Amino acid sequence: MAAAISGASAAFQGFNYGSTFTNGVAKTQSDFEAEFKTAAGLDGTKGAFKSARLYTTVQHGTPNTPISAIPAAISTKTTLLLGLWASAGQDAFNNELAALRGTISQYCGQLDGLVAGISVGSEDLYRISPIGMAASPDPGASPNTLVSYIKQVRDTVKGSCLEKAPIGHVDTWTAYDNATNKAVIDAVDFIGMDAYPYYENTKSNGIDNALSLFQAAVQKTKNAAAGKPIWITETGWPVSGPKENFAVAGTSEAQTFWQQVGCPMFGNTNVWWFTLQDGAPQIPSPAFGVIGSTLTTKPVYDLSCDGKTGGASSSAASQAASQTSSAAAAASSSSAAQQQSSAPAQQSSGGAAPATTTAAASQGGGAVVPPPAATTLSTAAPGGSGSGSGGSAVAPPVSGGTVTVKPPVVSGSSSGSAPVTVPTNAASRLGAFAGVAAAGVAIAAAAL
């Protein structure tokens, strides 16, 4: 089998990509190619956004065919953070594994250096938390279930070009800060963290405090991670949408967040921004895309980072230099209670009432790239540590009061038979990268 290890020294930098458009139509290889080329050509970014995070390895509308984003990545030389959907039960996860095996069989010889890692699940622990369950009846996955899935993925890639791919999990920072989830931290090679200060609506969450909230979220995650690399798998600020306490959506605010939080991380921390385009053909509310409903290399705000230093990243990033798919040091746990406010909930109907689509609940893998030399984010840089918890995708932490939660949506099919409900919140899990659900659900949150 071809080696899938990359010698890249720079961190991965890219966006999140869903498997369908907001109208439920599946993305084809040419659609993904167009999106990947647009991201790489964005004005002001110097061609740096050449990585894609996926939520599923299954092509929408099929039981377990590898997602067409994989051959699109091969043709455009786009690196991939592969994802396997893990909140729909073992039968659906079997389809993810089948798509992963199909990826190895069909593409291993072409994926050299194009896989950043494999994420098993996305915000599954959030969805079994009290807030997650109140926001939506859709299932998540328990720590023991995720640990089992992670082992199944390791067994699947053993002896293949993906054997050395770092395997991790993506969730809100509060999920990692919860001691009952420690088994997941112990089982992974990297920690994928989602954080959205915009949704921290029980705090002073205006753009002037966004950096400190983000840093606080990273620090909490770092405290629980016990030295394992932290990858920023979702963060961003909406260009339009409702006000969340002090947080105002707008292009000016989104640009400030990009410059203060994003720019210092780009190049030294693995980052998949939310997002390139979260609404096509419809625009959701709130909308996080750096471009609108039409593919264009002209962003809606300035994406240049010249002279933007300090802030979210620090010299501690070198901590992840040698991390690969082998087990990392056991993580220490934190005793804080799990809670979160919702990050953008994916919606397949363009931002109106939550919609569902029939989609296969599996996603594929690809060639492997070990984490680059600087993939761990630290909060020691200027800008303040902030108090409390920084935002986390789908569920920013709170210290009492209410939080706005966007319920996950999207349905998937399992093994080509009866549909299996597959919740997809924040950033178009299985469905179109339709964007964020229009209205949130106000719920009471327990104090940290």
Side-chain angles (χ1 to χ4, degrees), residues 315-352:
S315 58
S318 60
Q319 188 180 120
S322 62
Q323 199 82 21
T324 63
S325 62
S326 58
S332 62
S333 61
S334 158
S335 61
Q338 179 175 1
Q339 52 193 320
Q340 21 215 6
S341 106
S342 172
Q346 177 47 36
Q347 183 161 329
S348 62
S349 62

Side-chain angles (χ1 to χ4, degrees), residues 15 18 23 53 57 65 78 92 111 122 158 243 250 259 266 316 336 401 417 438:
F15 296 101
N23 57 7
R53 178 192 169 214
T57 301
T65 298
T78 300
L111 281 169
S122 180
K158 186 175 182 179
K243 186 177 181 181
Q259 292 177 342
F266 298 151
S417 55

